[in-house]
Amino acid sequence: MNMAKYDNDIIVIKGNGDEIKSYSIKELKKKAGSKKEVYINNGLEKVKIEGVSLEKLIGSLDFNLRERPVISIEDSDGNSNRFPMSIALEVDRVYLVYKIDGEPIVEYNPSYGTLVVIDTTTKNANSWITNVKTLNIQ
């Protein structure tokens, strides 16, 4: 119920700068939402995340990924981080997250925005990409 007010926030997926698809948080939850535990605070604390793995999200698109070695993740301020596609498509490794410990991300920590990209192999929340707005497959 507490997620309903964020259901219309969207993530845009692009291929070389052209929009391929956009999803609302409501659509993401229906698509292939899953739960996973990750560590934060240098591995001292464990939290439960809810989101969609990038491998499921990107893999479901009708888009040729063979010649696209990188995914660029842009936040609401226009800053971008790049992930090798081999990491982004690794099964259950990188998640587009909308909930942490049962709370919408923005309520868990307002500085995170409504969507966060998390590499589940990291042990520190400082490496998370926050306020995510666009995924650009390059």
Side-chain angles (χ1 to χ4, degrees), residues 109-126:
N109 184 335
S111 70
Y112 290 171
T114 55
L115 291 167
V116 174
V117 170
I118 297 175
D119 181 344
T120 60
T121 63
T122 64
K123 304 265 189 243
N124 196 330
N126 291 336

Side-chain angles (χ1 to χ4, degrees), residues 29 31 37 46 54 64 72 74 86 130:
K29 290 188 296 188
K31 185 162 186 60
E37 290 186 340
K46 194 185 296 188
L54 287 189
N64 181 3
S72 177
E74 190 174 309
S86 59
T130 59

Side-chain angles (χ1 to χ4, degrees), residues 10-23 61 63 133-137:
I10 64 165
I11 180 81
V12 175
I13 302 175
K14 296 180 178 182
N16 276 347
D18 298 326
E19 185 174 337
I20 300 171
K21 181 83 175 149
S22 63
Y23 291 102
L61 299 173
F63 192 73
K133 295 297 178 194
T134 305
L135 304 176
N136 192 2
I137 302 166

Side-chain angles (χ1 to χ4, degrees), residues 56-91:
K56 288 180 183 168
L57 187 62
I58 295 170
S60 68
L61 299 173
D62 185 24
F63 192 73
N64 181 3
L65 299 173
R66 290 180 185 228
E67 299 171 7
R68 311 287 188 239
V70 174
I71 185 166
S72 177
I73 302 165
E74 190 174 309
D75 66 19
S76 59
D77 295 328
N79 303 314
S80 66
N81 292 291
R82 296 165 58 104
F83 264 101
M85 192 61 74
S86 59
I87 290 174
L89 293 179
E90 198 172 306
V91 176

